[in-house]
Amino acid sequence: MSRREVLAPGGFGNNGAVTDEPLVLGIETSCDETGVGIVRGKTLLADAIASSVDEHVRFGGVVPEVASRAHLEAMVPTVERACAEAGVRLADVDAIAVTSGPGLTGALLVGVAAAKALTLALDRPLYGVNHLAAHVAVDQLEHGPLPQPCVALLVSGGHSSLLLVEDVSAGVHALGSTIDDAAGEAFDKVARLLGFPFPGGPHIDDSARSGDRAYVDFPRGLTSGRDMQRHRFDFSFSGLKTAVARWVEARERDGEPVPVADVAASFQEAVCDILTRKAIDACRTRGVEHLLIGGGVAANSRLRALAEDRAATAGIAVRVPRPELCTDNGAMVAALGAELVARGRAPSELDLAVNSSMSVTTVVA
Amino acid sequence: MLLLAFDTATPAVTAALHDGERVVAAATSVDARRHGELLAPAIATVLRDAGADRRDVTAIAVGVGPGPFTGLRVGLVTARTLAAALGVPVHGVCTLDAIAAAVSEPVELAVATDARRKEVYWARYRRHDASYHRVQGPAVSRPEDLARELTAALPVLGRGALLYADVLTHQPGPLDPDAAVLAEAVVRGEIELLAAEPLYLRRPDVSVPGPRKPAL
């Protein structure tokens, strides 16, 4: 895609002045959260969210059309709430950033169209950014500049990826990703099996606290033999989900009660074991000393604990943003936008298209 | 005054500026799959062609459908966000009304657009006092059901009628809305102003899942 002329490094301020602390408004609508965040450089000023998750509960998953309708209704109120929270006027904003992929096409389109409208109304540059790169960049709001390089483990209901990040404003290298279900998707499916409502992650986490992690030794996909040659940094959670289903059904068939907490703990242990084992392996293989964990599943308490344990043993530092910055939000998009402005990256054109399967190597579309 | 009008509820992405006297700029392209890419550049184009600044805009009018949801929302979220950021009012206009506004005869007609899934969005109109008044609809129907609903051989304007000319009496004329016509009708007060709310007419296509299926 063509770009406007490359801006001088350091970006621009409201009056054309160079600044490395740009005021950036970020919009996120790739799934069911309408997020509008405002940052100044690496400082978080506002993180307004409107979620349609309650509307999806009875369907057992996110319904794209329901999410898209909710984004339209929430957009302007959420922008206004973010401005009020940040104590800024829209006219003060230096640049607009928006998730243009990957995600649900119809949902992305609402955010991108809103971002373009702001671009037109304010005459400010537009950055259509990668959702996954934004999940990485958000950590700068909490823990300061990203270590270069770092390995990022991004795990959510839609994604499970291991990334090598040298410079998040320039590009991200994909080490591996799931070949079937995302980790969060496996949590949702197993939660449903165990009788918990959508989204299932927090319920599994809670239930697992009183369960035995070693009660069932569920399979760890892609962690042995030939799989480790072909898919060393890839994930597979579909087989695990089926294994849990078969185990539970065998119990039910025998007329025995299902030990829900033990199954939840054993399932969660399998997922967290796979994720952390591969993430640490990636750091070691690449000689990287920093591991960043992001995405909704990063809110899982066992994943955090196991990652910190194993990283400490391996001499690797772990960074995990606080849970509300791990789940989808607008602040992460604004954070990446601010980094792009500060680094003088070229903005997107007004004919920016959404890309539901945007490659993680694309930071700005 | 400067009215910015646009519509994205059909394959057309159409935008126009009206200064209260006349349409000063207009841009239309037809591509059913690129509303999100084409609308903002079209708005930038009409502003530039008119030599107008975005801050000169005093009101926005947007087609609220009915129309395919994804494209429809591009227009609505653009209109609402622009209006909020510029601090100007936003008006909705039924897209079918905007298509009817492009013609002046016959006295009675219907307008039909493509609703996909072998259905059409439609409304029925009667002309008096120099403009069309919607007397039925908007609604979504299968074309053969619409043909039964309408009295024999009532002329039907729009892409939906062309698409199903085998069952509907297609009236030659505009197939899609034109923002220039929409803007003119708004300025003359010849079209009903609605809230900037989408006329979806259909619920999301989804069903509540049944009980869990065995994995074995």
Side-chain angles (χ1 to χ4, degrees):
Chain A
M1 172 148 298
S2 61
R3 301 271 176 82
R4 291 182 191 166
E5 75 270 33
V6 177
L7 296 153
F12 35 78
N14 216 346
N15 50 10
V18 171
T19 173
D20 56 3
E21 291 272 286
L23 186 69
V24 178
L25 182 144
I27 297 177
E28 156 64 34
T29 63
S30 69
C31 193
D32 61 338
E33 318 276 2
T34 310
V36 179
I38 299 177
V39 306
R40 191 183 298 283
K42 292 180 177 58
T43 307
L44 175 63
L45 300 184
D47 185 17
I49 298 261
S51 177
S52 62
V53 67
D54 294 347
E55 296 175 56
H56 303 288
V57 168
R58 68 196 182 101
F59 302 116
V62 174
V63 181
E65 177 60 23
V66 172
S68 299
R69 289 185 182 196
H71 286 311
L72 170 62
E73 299 313 320
M75 184 53 65
V76 168
T78 310
V79 169
E80 287 173 344
R81 199 147 51 82
C83 287
E85 214 175 281
V88 301
R89 298 173 311 147
L90 272 178
D92 300 330
V93 167
D94 293 314
I96 312 294
V98 61
T99 301
S100 64
L104 303 169
T105 298
L108 289 166
L109 266 166
V110 176
V112 168
K116 289 180 180 181
L118 290 178
T119 298
L120 283 169
L122 307 173
D123 196 22
R124 296 289 184 271
L126 170 73
Y127 291 83
V129 306
N130 189 303
H131 179 81
L132 297 175
H135 268 305
V136 173
V138 73
D139 190 56
Q140 300 203 130
L141 300 178
E142 186 151 1
H143 298 117
L146 283 173
Q148 296 182 336
C150 67
V151 164
L153 170 66
L154 295 188
V155 273
S156 70
H159 311 281
S160 296
S161 303
L162 265 176
L163 312 172
L164 179 64
V165 185
E166 298 273 358
D167 172 354
V168 72
S169 74
V172 169
H173 178 67
L175 297 173
S177 64
T178 182
I179 61 170
D180 41 57
D181 291 353
E185 202 177 344
F187 269 94
D188 288 337
K189 288 175 176 172
V190 167
R192 183 156 181 247
L193 191 76
L194 296 178
F196 297 117
F198 171 86
H203 298 286
I204 298 259
D205 198 350
D206 283 347
S207 174
R209 285 176 212 279
S210 59
D212 176 0
R213 295 196 289 263
Y215 193 83
V216 190
D217 186 19
F218 286 123
R220 271 68 165 157
L222 306 184
T223 55
S224 59
R226 198 185 304 167
D227 283 340
M228 278 299 280
Q229 288 161 23
R230 281 191 58 206
H231 294 290
R232 183 162 183 171
F233 301 124
D234 289 328
F235 303 106
S236 168
F237 297 110
S238 175
L240 170 59
K241 167 202 70 192
T242 306
V244 177
R246 289 192 172 169
W247 194 93
V248 168
E249 280 162 14
R251 273 292 176 111
E252 288 172 341
R253 206 178 39 235
D254 297 344
E256 288 177 45
V258 175
V260 170
D262 294 328
V263 174
S266 300
F267 159 76
Q268 177 173 276
E269 191 64 12
V271 174
C272 296
D273 178 31
I274 298 164
L275 291 173
T276 54
R277 211 193 290 183
K278 294 203 174 215
I280 301 289
D281 184 28
C283 290
R284 279 189 168 145
T285 309
R286 296 295 178 133
V288 174
E289 293 170 350
H290 298 273
L291 172 63
L292 173 71
I293 307 181
V297 179
N300 182 274
S301 63
R302 181 59 185 155
L303 178 62
R304 286 177 177 239
L306 197 56
E308 270 158 27
D309 259 17
R310 290 182 171 176
T313 307
I316 291 162
V318 181
R319 289 167 51 135
V320 192
R322 60 181 182 270
E324 61 268 34
L325 293 181
C326 283
T327 47
D328 291 350
N329 64 80
M332 68 187 205
V333 180
L336 179 54
E339 183 69 15
L340 294 165
V341 172
R343 300 287 190 108
R345 305 292 176 206
S348 308
E349 292 285 358
L350 211 45
D351 67 354
L352 169 71
V354 305
N355 181 351
S356 62
S357 57
M358 184 187 285
S359 157
V360 73
T361 52
T362 303
V363 174
V364 189
Chain B
M1 73 161 284
L2 194 63
L3 174 73
L4 170 64
F6 47 89
D7 188 295
T8 59
T10 71
V13 175
T14 179
L17 271 179
H18 197 296
D19 69 0
E21 297 287 318
R22 61 190 183 90
V23 173
V24 289
T28 297
S29 47
V30 178
D31 186 338
R33 302 188 60 83
R34 296 182 63 223
H35 295 83
E37 293 156 67
L38 297 171
L39 179 61
I43 293 170
T45 297
V46 295
L47 284 167
R48 192 189 59 229
D49 289 355
D53 186 274
R54 64 198 192 280
R55 285 164 295 201
D56 300 335
V57 171
T58 56
I60 293 169
V62 63
V64 296
F69 307 153
T70 302
L72 174 60
R73 274 191 289 269
V74 168
L76 275 161
V77 78
T78 301
R80 290 182 185 182
T81 309
L82 267 177
L86 294 172
V88 301
V90 56
H91 307 291
V93 167
C94 173
T95 297
L96 303 170
D97 294 4
I99 296 173
V103 298
S104 54
E105 55 182 13
V107 172
E108 286 196 45
L109 58 74
V111 174
T113 58
D114 184 11
R116 299 178 184 165
R117 302 182 191 182
K118 298 180 180 168
E119 291 188 319
V120 291
Y121 294 118
W122 64 275
R124 183 174 176 162
Y125 298 86
R126 187 172 298 126
R127 189 172 180 85
H128 65 85
D129 295 342
S131 62
Y132 283 102
H133 297 258
R134 183 160 20 93
V135 294
Q136 197 179 359
V140 58
S141 304
R142 293 191 304 152
E144 51 271 36
D145 294 339
L146 173 58
R148 273 194 293 275
E149 179 80 27
L150 301 173
T151 45
L154 183 74
V156 187
L157 197 61
R159 191 176 295 275
L162 178 65
L163 210 52
Y164 300 103
D166 50 334
V167 285
L168 300 172
T169 309
H170 176 236
Q171 166 86 358
L175 295 175
D176 302 311
D178 178 346
V181 170
L182 194 166
E184 182 73 23
V186 169
V187 170
R188 287 169 173 255
E190 290 175 353
I191 198 163
E192 185 187 359
L193 296 184
L194 309 169
E197 302 286 344
L199 296 171
Y200 287 126
L201 305 193
R202 285 179 181 144
R203 286 164 197 255
D205 187 13
V206 62
S207 56
V208 175
R212 161 162 69 88
K213 293 188 288 279
L216 292 176

